[in-house]
């Protein structure tokens, strides 16, 4: 990022002394703000897909016997190495309850007449028909009882708005404003569990060290710190007999906020002050970069399984960990030898490893390199952070998938790509995107140390140009918003990437409240 002509930029953007103070308070520099403005004016930089990654073409499929070998590698490793589970958990559950909230605000009762589409009717009716099956039903009933209301009577009288007010608003359980981590996801015989607890229960089964301890890190919103810490302390006491639970938290840094542009290409203001917007989940690469561990697992807060269904997930977590350990060890061995002595046979061994084991293709012109040029190229290629990403067979879920991407120099890399990164108006690009056989469930394990066990600076491996620019509005005024490169998209663009097929049973997300009614969340109760 180049320095800008400070005076020229200040004059061009009509920045005041108050603006400059606000920028500094956010931990941003004028160069960074200038770069954001430049990116906003350029718009989204679309990726160029070459082809979808498939099994044997960028995606590994591990057989039963081989799988057990990698599981054993991981189980031996975790005993004496620091493993952390990293869970982005700052998002509010507002989207989860969006349809219920819309209905609550629009209706006094379940009229569900011409004002609602058939899909909306079906969704709302499905919720109330099965309301007793939700894990939060007992607490909701108790909250209503405290307010001298009976949920059965309210249901009979079709006073659905009143029920939703106690579920969604600060008047009751406030679920629309809580983070997903603190929403009850599963009902068991004698208790219900929030997704935060299910993440901990899962972690106990695969990141416990020989000292009987586990480490988890959650990114949260700062205003919810007290609630998270209180819940984490309760859970640490609850599971103390199984292991010592160390839970840490961090917030998305203000320095990763971004400016926006108005319709006249000026910096957007609210009440005469510059509006700063959160930079999206890609900003969390800063939080990840502050962790120092041998392995880091990443998983979304809303993708949890019931405890009785965990065995498949645990085996596949260990598989991903074992694969990373194996490949990282091999890569570190190659780097060490490349920096001491090498010959053509050793270079060819590395080439075969990269092409056959990891499925990588070499840059254009590589075959014409001299031996020393190949040594330099391979050293640079291998000396990067590594991630092993579990991918599931695509069953129509919205979101990204694994692809081969062609860069501006005609070279190919493996990337997780989402639809908004592609120019879908281009028929060929749309066809490639729609041909994807696998989906990214955010099931990732990261190796962030080099061959000398020194931690990489992960910020150096971000594709800073892989931003998204989208139309938004604030108080009725249109704006162009900037979103930083996604954490597992452009945020990890320059990592060594290994895709591995994992069972769809490991992916049970809760995007909307009615997802909690799916069999894998209800269990046998």
């Amino acid at each position: 990022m180049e320095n800008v002509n400070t005076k020229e930029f200040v004059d061009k953007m009509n920045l005041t002394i108050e603006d400059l103070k606000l920028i500094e308070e956010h931990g941003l520099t004028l160069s960074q703000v200038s770069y954001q403005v430049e990116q906003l004016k350029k718009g989204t930089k679309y990726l160029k897909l070459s082809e979808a990654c498939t099994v044997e073409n960028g995606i590994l499929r591990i057989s039963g016997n081989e799988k057990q070998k990698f599981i054993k590698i991981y189980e031996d490793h975790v005993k004496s190495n620091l493993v952390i589970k990293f869970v982005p958990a700052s998002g509010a559950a507002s989207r989860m309850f969006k349809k219920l909230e819309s209905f609550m605000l629009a209706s006094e009762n379940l009229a569900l007449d011409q004002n609602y589409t058939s899909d909306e009717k079906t969704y709302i009716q499905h919720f109330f028909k099965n309301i007793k099956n939700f894990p939060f039903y007992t607490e909701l009933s108790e909250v209503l009882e405290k307010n001298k209301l009976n949920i059965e009577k309210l249901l009979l009288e079709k006073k659905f708005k009143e029920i939703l007010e106690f579920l969604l608003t600060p008047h009751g359980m406030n679920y629309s404003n809580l983070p997903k981590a603190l929403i009850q996801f599963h009902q068991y015989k004698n208790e219900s569990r929030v997704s935060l607890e299910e993440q901990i229960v899962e972690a106990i089964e695969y990141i416990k060290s020989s000292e009987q301890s586990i480490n988890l890190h959650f990114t949260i919103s700062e205003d919810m710190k007290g609630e998270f810490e209180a819940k984490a302390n309760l859970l640490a006491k609850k599971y103390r007999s199984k292991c010592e639970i160390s839970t840490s938290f961090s917030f998305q840094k203000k320095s990763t906020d971004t400016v926006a542009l108005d319709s006249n290409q000026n910096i957007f203001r609210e009440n005469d002050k510059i509006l700063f917007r959160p930079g999206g989940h890609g900003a969390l690469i800063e939080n990840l970069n502050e962790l120092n561990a041998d392995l880091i697992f990443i998983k979304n807060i809303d993708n949890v399984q019931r405890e009785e269904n965990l065995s498949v997930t645990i085996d596949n977590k260990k598989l991903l960990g074992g694969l990373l350990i194996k490949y990282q060890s091999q890569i570190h061995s190659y780097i060490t030898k490349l920096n001491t002595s090498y010959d053509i046979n050793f270079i060819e061994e590395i080439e075969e490893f990269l092409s056959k084991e990891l499925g990588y293709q070499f840059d254009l012109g590589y075959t014409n390199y001299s031996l020393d040029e190949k040594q330099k190229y391979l050293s640079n290629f291998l000396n990067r952070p590594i991630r092993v990403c579990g991918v599931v067979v695509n069953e129509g879920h919205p979101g990204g998938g694994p692809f081969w991407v062609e860069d501006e120099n005609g070279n190919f890399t493996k990337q997780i790509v989402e639809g908004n990164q592609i120019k879908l108006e281009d028929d060929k690009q749309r066809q490639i995107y729609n041909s994807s056989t696998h989906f990214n469930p955010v099931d990732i394990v990261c190796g962030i140390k080099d061959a000398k066990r020194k931690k990489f600076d992960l910020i150096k491996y971000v594709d800073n140009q892989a931003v998204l620019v989208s139309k938004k509005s604030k108080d009725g005024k249109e704006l162009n918003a900037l979103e930083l490169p996604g954490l597992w998209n452009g945020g990890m663009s320059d990592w060594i990437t290994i895709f591995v097929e994992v069972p769809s049973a490991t992916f049970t997300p809760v995007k909307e409240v009615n997802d909690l009614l799916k069999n894998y969340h209800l269990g046998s109760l």
Side-chain angles (χ1 to χ4, degrees):
M1 192 179 301
E2 298 178 0
N3 290 324
V4 298
N5 183 315
T6 303
K7 186 177 186 308
E8 182 180 322
F9 180 69
V10 168
D11 292 343
K12 187 177 180 180
M13 290 291 112
N14 298 313
L15 298 178
T16 65
I17 293 175
E18 287 73 22
D19 293 334
L20 299 180
K21 287 181 180 177
L22 196 60
I23 289 169
E24 186 177 353
E25 286 172 6
H26 258 76
L28 288 162
T29 65
L30 276 176
S31 292
Q32 289 172 312
V33 173
S34 172
Y35 187 67
Q36 290 178 8
V37 169
E38 182 184 334
Q39 288 179 307
L40 281 161
K41 289 181 176 180
K42 286 181 178 179
T44 298
K45 182 188 176 185
Y46 295 111
L47 298 179
K48 183 180 179 182
L49 301 181
S50 171
E51 58 182 326
C53 289
T54 57
V55 174
E56 306 306 331
N57 182 24
I59 299 176
L60 301 176
R61 177 179 284 164
I62 309 299
S63 64
N65 291 336
E66 197 177 9
K67 185 174 181 177
Q68 292 306 312
K69 178 183 74 175
F70 289 117
I71 288 174
K72 180 67 166 57
I73 290 172
Y74 175 78
E75 289 175 340
D76 290 341
H77 182 88
V78 74
K79 292 175 184 176
S80 56
N81 290 275
L82 178 58
V83 179
I84 294 178
K85 185 177 183 180
F86 179 89
V87 184
S90 57
S94 51
R95 289 184 185 178
M96 184 174 165
F97 297 101
K98 185 177 180 181
K99 291 178 182 177
L100 294 184
E101 192 169 55
S102 176
F103 173 75
M104 177 188 71
L105 295 173
S107 175
E108 289 294 333
N109 52 49
L110 190 58
L112 290 178
D113 51 20
Q114 66 275 11
N115 296 321
Y116 291 90
T117 67
S118 58
D119 286 346
E120 288 172 328
K121 285 182 188 179
T122 301
Y123 188 91
I124 302 297
Q125 289 170 339
H126 187 58
F127 173 84
F128 283 109
K129 182 180 178 181
N130 295 280
I131 192 169
K132 293 181 181 179
N133 292 326
F134 285 102
F136 48 75
Y137 177 78
T138 300
E139 184 180 346
L140 177 59
S141 299
E142 292 170 352
V143 169
L144 286 163
E145 288 290 344
K146 288 179 182 177
N147 287 271
K148 302 187 183 338
L149 295 168
N150 179 272
I151 193 167
E152 295 278 6
K153 189 170 183 289
L154 291 173
L155 288 167
L156 192 63
E157 294 172 354
K158 295 189 177 182
K159 291 185 177 179
F160 300 106
K161 177 177 179 178
E162 204 157 358
I163 294 172
L164 292 178
E165 282 179 344
F166 279 93
L167 175 66
L168 303 178
T169 74
H171 190 51
M173 295 167 64
N174 201 27
Y175 263 23
S176 278
N177 300 303
L178 289 182
K180 277 188 180 180
L182 301 180
I183 300 292
Q184 295 173 64
F185 269 32
H186 295 148
Q187 180 66 48
Y188 293 89
K189 187 175 181 180
N190 298 312
E191 64 174 352
S192 64
R193 293 181 186 169
V194 299
S195 57
L196 175 71
E197 180 170 0
E198 295 291 39
Q199 292 281 358
I200 290 173
V201 170
E202 177 192 290
I204 290 171
E205 297 301 320
Y206 70 94
I207 66 171
K208 186 163 58 177
S209 70
S210 58
E211 297 177 350
Q212 302 298 298
S213 64
I214 63 170
N215 292 271
L216 301 97
H217 185 88
F218 295 87
T219 61
I220 63 174
S221 57
E222 193 166 359
D223 61 326
M224 294 301 297
K225 182 183 178 184
E227 287 85 345
F228 271 97
E229 287 182 336
K231 189 64 176 177
N233 288 336
L234 286 173
L235 294 172
K237 292 176 183 176
K238 180 177 178 178
Y239 293 100
R240 185 177 292 158
S241 62
K242 289 192 174 184
C243 69
E244 180 183 342
I245 300 172
S246 176
T247 306
S248 58
F249 303 101
S250 65
F251 322 121
Q252 190 165 309
K253 297 178 184 297
K254 289 177 69 176
S255 60
T256 62
D257 287 354
T258 60
V259 298
L261 295 184
D262 63 21
S263 55
N264 295 317
Q265 299 289 281
N266 296 316
I267 292 178
F268 190 94
R269 295 172 181 274
E270 184 179 35
N271 299 323
D272 293 329
K273 288 187 175 181
I274 294 175
L275 175 70
F276 290 96
R277 306 178 76 258
H281 72 75
L284 298 181
I285 193 69
E286 298 269 0
N287 304 64
L288 188 68
N289 197 39
E290 292 184 347
L291 300 182
N292 190 0
D294 297 287
L295 293 182
I296 301 176
F297 286 89
I298 301 178
K299 189 175 187 181
N300 276 344
I301 188 65
D302 64 6
N303 180 23
V304 290
Q305 288 80 41
R306 294 180 62 86
E307 187 171 1
E308 66 266 25
N309 298 334
L310 273 179
S311 59
V312 174
T313 292
I314 300 308
D315 279 354
N316 281 279
K317 289 289 188 185
K318 292 178 179 179
L319 165 66
L320 298 182
L323 280 164
L324 188 136
I325 293 160
K326 185 244 183 179
Y327 286 123
Q328 181 177 250
S329 175
Q330 183 67 74
I331 287 168
H332 287 175
S333 173
Y334 283 146
I335 291 172
T336 300
K337 190 171 179 181
L338 276 171
N339 292 331
T340 53
S341 63
Y342 58 90
D343 56 23
I344 187 61
N345 292 328
F346 183 59
I347 294 294
E348 288 176 350
E349 180 185 335
I350 297 175
E351 291 170 353
E352 185 175 11
F353 167 77
L354 288 173
S355 61
K356 290 188 177 180
E357 292 271 345
L358 303 189
Y360 269 98
Q361 304 173 35
F362 294 98
D363 287 1
L364 295 174
Y366 173 84
T367 53
N368 297 321
Y369 288 177
S370 68
L371 185 64
D372 288 344
E373 287 173 333
K374 287 183 176 181
Q375 180 270 343
K376 184 178 180 181
Y377 172 87
L378 292 173
S379 291
N380 290 334
F381 183 91
L382 293 170
N383 192 34
R384 294 182 288 158
I386 308 168
R387 60 176 179 167
V388 175
C389 309
V391 293
V392 298
V393 172
N394 194 337
E395 296 176 344
H397 295 287
F403 290 88
W404 286 103
V405 174
E406 183 179 354
D407 68 17
E408 295 172 342
N409 299 315
N411 303 315
F412 299 92
T413 60
K414 285 186 283 191
Q415 304 286 346
I416 294 171
V417 181
E418 298 187 22
N420 52 13
Q421 296 179 275
I422 307 303
K423 195 168 187 177
L424 294 174
E425 297 83 8
D426 183 311
D427 288 343
K428 186 176 180 181
Q429 288 294 290
R430 186 175 66 254
Q431 287 171 10
I432 295 173
Y433 185 75
N434 290 337
S435 71
S436 176
T437 59
H438 288 72
F439 172 81
N440 164 46
V442 189
D443 191 1
I444 303 171
V445 58
C446 308
I448 61 169
K449 292 185 176 180
D450 65 17
K452 296 180 180 179
R453 295 184 64 80
K454 181 182 177 183
K455 193 175 79 68
F456 287 106
D457 179 1
L458 303 183
I459 308 303
K460 293 180 179 179
Y461 301 90
V462 175
D463 179 2
N464 288 305
Q465 296 185 55
V467 298
L468 299 174
V469 177
S470 56
K471 296 284 185 184
K472 302 285 185 180
S473 65
K474 177 72 174 175
D475 299 328
K477 298 177 183 177
E478 289 190 358
L479 58 82
N480 283 337
L482 183 69
E483 187 172 324
L484 299 177
L487 178 59
W488 40 82
N489 308 114
M492 296 180 174
S493 178
D494 292 334
W495 292 40
I496 292 176
T497 297
I498 301 162
F499 292 128
V500 185
E501 186 179 68
V502 296
S504 58
T506 62
F507 184 55
T508 55
V510 179
K511 301 303 179 186
E512 297 183 325
V513 64
N514 281 1
D515 288 339
L516 292 173
L517 297 174
K518 292 180 178 177
N519 289 336
Y520 45 68
H521 287 303
L522 288 177
S524 58
L525 294 176

